[in-house]
Amino acid sequence: MLITTTPNVEGKKIVKYIGLVSGETIIGANFIRDIFAGIRDFVGGRSNSYEKVLREAKDTAVFEMQQYAASIGANAVVGVDLDYETVGKGGSMLMVTASGTAVVLAD
């Protein structure tokens, strides 16, 4: 299934707009990761552990959106937007939402 942030697909005609689809995931950051991220912030550099969690959350949200789109007959999702928020007590959880428009592209 084609997933794109653009509103259309060059060279393909959208023959049916099915509607809004989304996928969400909420994941927690663990205590050990927080400690190492704090050290990394102090000495500088990237936090690979947080980047990995962020990537996994994004991939899960996009996958859920894709599965929903397929279940309602779409073969593509256009206009995809990703939103990242912290939730929970003290922002201890990360929420990632992927949303877009499920469509059918001509072959």
Side-chain angles (χ1 to χ4, degrees):
M1 174 175 295
L2 180 65
I3 307 291
T4 181
T5 59
T6 60
N8 50 40
V9 179
E10 188 173 338
K12 296 281 188 175
K13 181 178 180 179
I14 296 174
V15 295
K16 184 178 182 182
Y17 288 87
I18 298 175
L20 178 68
V21 290
S22 65
E24 302 82 18
T25 187
I26 298 175
I27 56 174
N30 72 33
F31 177 71
I32 301 298
R33 194 174 305 138
D34 286 345
I35 290 172
F36 286 117
I39 292 169
R40 177 115 24 213
D41 285 344
F42 181 73
V43 298
R46 295 172 60 166
S47 175
N48 290 333
S49 58
Y50 272 126
E51 288 175 1
K52 181 179 177 190
V53 169
L54 186 61
R55 194 171 307 111
E56 288 173 8
K58 179 207 42 115
D59 290 346
T60 301
V62 170
F63 180 76
E64 286 185 7
M65 177 188 67
Q66 177 183 349
Q67 293 299 312
Y68 178 51
S71 76
I72 59 175
N75 65 0
V77 181
V78 297
V80 172
D81 180 56
L82 297 172
D83 186 37
Y84 300 86
E85 296 288 333
T86 55
V87 295
K89 190 173 185 175
S92 62
M93 307 283 281
L94 174 67
M95 178 177 72
V96 180
T97 303
S99 61
T101 302
V103 299
V104 175
L105 297 176
D107 290 328

